[in-house]
Amino acid sequence: MRSGARYTKISTHHGYPTGAMFYASVDPNPSPNTINLHSTCDIHHAATDQSTFLSCLRSFSNQSLWDDLEIDGDGDWLITSILNGTLEIGMDGSYMKNLSKSACSGAFILHCTSTGQEIRGCFVDSSHQADNYRGELLGALGPLLILRAAFLANPQV
């Protein structure tokens, strides 16, 4: 399907499509019964292998990163939240040189606005190179690794 192609709108349905091969993003057209195709993507199908989000996360090196990780459920909800557009991610870093010149930290949360499920964590680093930027990077690292595990557990996405 070509981006920008025009189609006549027959009907509108809410919920998951049945028998469809693609999701489509459309732009309204000035004509009430016409839409313009913006983009398409394959519909997500459940994983056929035995990989889970947690098994992928546990396969990463440096498992001590996850000592303070809190996960609602088994975390397999994460990929659905990503695909449905209901995942919000927040992160922050901290460096307080008046308390310690050699420590910084980062915290993060991944929240599904549909189900309320969350993944929360924090990383702490003790280094002579500690600073504000390193703390911010620690806050960003957690969600990036978690998203990587979610996509490794669902290679068909």
Side-chain angles (χ1 to χ4, degrees):
M1 291 184 240
R2 290 182 44 122
S3 177
R6 280 198 181 140
Y7 295 91
T8 302
K9 183 167 73 173
I10 298 170
S11 65
T12 302
H13 299 278
H14 295 283
Y16 292 99
T18 56
M21 296 172 42
F22 300 98
Y23 285 119
S25 171
V26 296
D27 295 322
N29 191 289
S31 171
N33 292 325
T34 305
I35 55 173
N36 294 331
L37 178 65
H38 178 267
S39 60
T40 63
C41 69
D42 292 332
I43 292 178
H44 167 69
H45 300 284
T48 55
D49 60 24
Q50 297 300 320
S51 294
T52 65
F53 167 73
L54 287 176
S55 67
C56 287
L57 197 60
R58 289 183 184 125
S59 72
F60 295 164
S61 59
N62 201 354
Q63 283 296 296
S64 64
L65 288 175
W66 312 114
D67 288 347
D68 296 311
L69 191 67
E70 299 174 12
I71 302 174
D72 291 345
D74 58 10
D76 285 329
W77 54 267
L78 183 60
I79 197 70
T80 303
S81 183
I82 293 167
L83 295 174
N84 288 342
T86 58
L87 182 66
E88 292 181 342
I89 302 173
M91 64 203 82
D92 195 19
S94 179
Y95 173 67
M96 295 184 234
K97 65 180 173 184
N98 56 331
L99 296 178
S100 173
K101 292 183 179 182
S102 62
C104 59
S105 62
F108 53 88
I109 185 168
L110 292 87
H111 173 81
C112 177
T113 60
S114 175
T115 66
Q117 291 181 295
E118 294 181 341
I119 298 175
R120 299 163 297 281
C122 63
F123 296 157
V124 178
D125 183 38
S126 179
S127 166
H128 293 296
Q129 294 147 345
D131 62 15
N132 285 327
Y133 299 109
R134 193 176 186 98
E136 295 292 338
L137 288 171
L138 286 172
L141 180 63
L144 291 172
L145 290 171
I146 287 169
L147 292 173
R148 181 172 184 245
F151 283 104
L152 285 173
N154 296 278
Q156 74 287 355
V157 174

